[in-house]
Amino acid sequence: MGGMSAELPAYAERVLEVAERIPPGRVMTYGDVAEWLGEGGPRQVGRVMALYGGAVPWWRVVRADGVPLPGHERRALEHYRTEGTPLRETPSGEPRLAMRRARWDGGGEDAGGDEAHI
């Protein structure tokens, strides 16, 4: 996390380190990150991402329902399409993350395929 302040809370630093590890084209939910760290919960991870997430690939830490981050949908979708993140369309035609295929379990650099979901 080059350039992060020494004043960054330790928990926030750990959350951001996990976000940086998520490979392009893959995502983890807020709850996945908390579970991977073994501390906090989805709300705490969400708060860290809201306050400090701009310094890391924030679009790779997502809601469990696959809905792009409200207010940042366009930017997130651009990143997903550039990285080849699996997407699906709702019956109304709205893009969503295809969570079964996009979800990363934190193992290796990229476990690949559907086996990598949690």
Side-chain angles (χ1 to χ4, degrees), residues 65-87:
D65 62 6
V67 174
L69 184 64
H72 301 279
E73 299 92 345
R74 184 174 300 188
R75 287 181 51 215
L77 286 169
E78 287 174 12
H79 287 293
Y80 298 143
R81 289 182 175 123
T82 298
E83 294 183 353
T85 308
L87 298 171

Side-chain angles (χ1 to χ4, degrees), residues 1 11-23 27-30 32-39 45 49 56-57 60-61 104-106:
M1 268 176 328
Y11 181 71
E13 189 170 326
R14 289 190 295 275
V15 167
L16 297 178
E17 286 172 356
V18 173
E20 286 185 325
R21 290 177 46 104
I22 302 169
V27 298
M28 290 180 92
T29 68
Y30 298 113
D32 293 342
V33 172
E35 184 177 329
W36 195 86
L37 288 171
E39 62 181 311
V45 172
M49 294 303 294
V56 299
R60 296 182 192 153
V61 181
W104 186 60
D105 67 2

